[in-house]
Amino acid sequence: MSASDHLIPVVVSNVVEVNPIIKRFEFKHVNGDELPAFSGGAHIVVEMLDDGTKRKNPYSLMSSPFERDQYAISVRRDDTGRGGSKFMHEQVRPGMEMKISAPVNLFSLDLRAKKHLMIAGGIGITPFIAQMAQADKLGVPFELHYAARSVSQAAYMDSLADRFGDHVSCYCDDQGEGVDFETLLSSQPLGTHVYVCGPKGMIERVVETATHLGWPAAHVHFEHFLAPPVGEPFEVHLAKAGIDITVGAEQSLLEAVEASGTPINCMCRGGACGQCETAVVACDGEIMHNDHWLDEEQRASKQLIMPCVSRFRGKRLELDL
Amino acid sequence: MSESIIEESILSRPTYGTLKIVPGLAHYFLADASGAECVIRVVQELPRDMMEKVHILYVPTPGEAALITSLYAVGAKRFEHFPTIEEAVAKLGDWLSDAKMGTQLYLAGTEGLVGQGVAKGEECGLDHTAVQCEHRGSLARRVQCVHCKTMIEDVTTQPVKCPSCELLLFVRDHYSRRLAAFQGVCINAEDPTEEIEIKEVFK
Ligand SMILES: Cc1cc2nc3c(=O)[nH]c(=O)nc-3n(C[C@H](O)[C@H](O)[C@H](O)COP(=O)(O)OP(=O)(O)OC[C@H]3O[C@@H](n4cnc5c(N)ncnc54)[C@H](O)[C@@H]3O)c2cc1C
Ligand code: FES
């Protein structure tokens, strides 16, 4: 079973242009009911019916976990993508009915922390907005370091600085500013947990620096806004269903399995939660593992694949589905 | 002093490894006389410029000075010694209250010292993966009488008589990390007149 089996019918209650590339969308339950509870860092999967194509993209909730009458997400427009974010920007208007999944959290605050150190890059700010509301209410010390390419693209920078004051430090590339990770991570009191969400390079630098300084792995948390990578089309045999399917160039394996009507688990659709883990029955070729779930050994074994983000190149791939 | 072998037992019974320097912003050591050589062994291998990151706390056996001199000579940024484990552990707490993420804690010596060091580290917010322990010396146990809650140090016999409530206690392998002590439970509750031989077992 997957989170998206129980979709919640919502109505778009508001659409706000935050800046030229980012829009905020607010959703209310169609019946005005309370929406499911969530904690800071959770995301929902938004289903988009785009002219016959069904798209499902995960977006982090940025609204306060203490407000259950509506959810808010912010979407960065990605013109090179397959169209999910473009659809949100161009087609979604107030009053429209949509379906969303219940929230899932793969990036929650560790409540044992004595302090939360949050590092955001660009649109990676969204989960932290909800987390800060939570940490603020719980009275746990927190600090946000938010980097953006330019002042004009730095969504919510001013309002966050206003709301959380000294807790927030901002950096804009076009002002020649940047986070000094070495200094930042060398000056945190014992019991601090660090959280990073942003571009791949930023996440890597934070994880590497923390590890090098001796931070225990359990104190370092990150979330990639990973989109399923595109590639060459490939054929897959689904052993239990007894069918062959084709994964299109711009389709993920998960999407192709879903389109065939074959049941498959999923949650994050971004290679992080482990829900879609599928056994490989036969593999004559190379699996392009794009997930953050399997370890090196599991990858090398060619016995498991994460269909939400991983692809295949070769003669034959047979899955236990 | 020889490396000690601890037989595998129940889950709560601590097991120990061998100290090894791992990447860290600062390295804190706590040892007693039986663990001093472990500290010297690992610290001596460090490059000179790393000594700025090394802090050592030591509990000598009364009257002993040679190991104090050897530990002093390794050239740590801070070196202090205390007559009792309690005082050294309290000092560790002071030091750790100013410490930063990336701190590594290394404990070497008898079980009582190691256990109390672990508990202090945890209290100060250190993740258990940032704490290493090497057991050396006597297997004497720190035991808490579960009946009157008295802490009995350096217990080497099975059973042991509680100095406070005078019950004869069976020293269990059940270990409390919070108290850093093994649990001592009355062995002859059914018949207090029963004679039980007291044997030296935790040497
Ligand atoms: C847990 C999680 C939370 C997220 N939260 C947010 C959020 O709060 N806000 C937000 O804006 N996004 C968020 N995302 C990302 C979001 O789900 C989408 O990936 C993003 O909006 C882009 O979607 P898309 O459909 O427009 O593009 P996608 O098709 O998903 O494409 C994204 C990227 O894939 C590559 N790509 C795709 N198709 C092609 C092609 N044909 N040719 C070349 N390259 C291609 C491009 O590099 C492109 O930039 C989150 C992702 C995850 C996993
Ligand atoms: S759906 Fe989460 S890893 Fe694939």
Side-chain angles (χ1 to χ4, degrees), chain B residues 1-2 4 19 29-40 56-62 64 66-68 71 79-86 88-89 106-117 134-140 142 153-154:
Chain B
M1 215 154 299
S2 64
S4 56
L19 300 190
F29 292 84
L30 170 65
D32 57 19
S34 43
E37 63 170 342
C38 309
V39 177
I40 295 169
I56 302 173
L57 285 167
Y58 180 53
V59 185
T61 38
E64 164 262 299
L67 286 170
I68 297 182
L71 282 166
F79 170 65
E80 288 187 37
H81 55 94
F82 293 89
T84 65
I85 294 177
E86 282 65 36
V89 168
Y106 306 83
L107 305 163
T110 54
E111 205 147 31
L113 172 126
V114 170
Q116 290 170 72
E134 182 162 344
H135 180 262
R136 285 299 177 103
S138 155
L139 286 175
R142 179 171 139 99
E153 303 287 344
D154 288 325

Side-chain angles (χ1 to χ4, degrees), chain B residues 34-101:
Chain B
S34 43
E37 63 170 342
C38 309
V39 177
I40 295 169
R41 181 192 77 225
V42 294
V43 173
Q44 266 178 347
E45 299 203 339
L46 294 175
R48 274 271 131 225
D49 59 343
M50 272 223 5
M51 296 312 289
E52 266 302 293
K53 299 178 167 185
V54 174
H55 311 260
I56 302 173
L57 285 167
Y58 180 53
V59 185
T61 38
E64 164 262 299
L67 286 170
I68 297 182
T69 311
S70 309
L71 282 166
Y72 179 75
V74 300
K77 174 158 175 146
R78 282 190 288 188
F79 170 65
E80 288 187 37
H81 55 94
F82 293 89
T84 65
I85 294 177
E86 282 65 36
E87 288 166 273
V89 168
K91 189 65 176 185
L92 177 68
D94 290 347
W95 283 3
L96 289 180
S97 65
D98 298 326
K100 304 292 179 222
M101 282 304 290

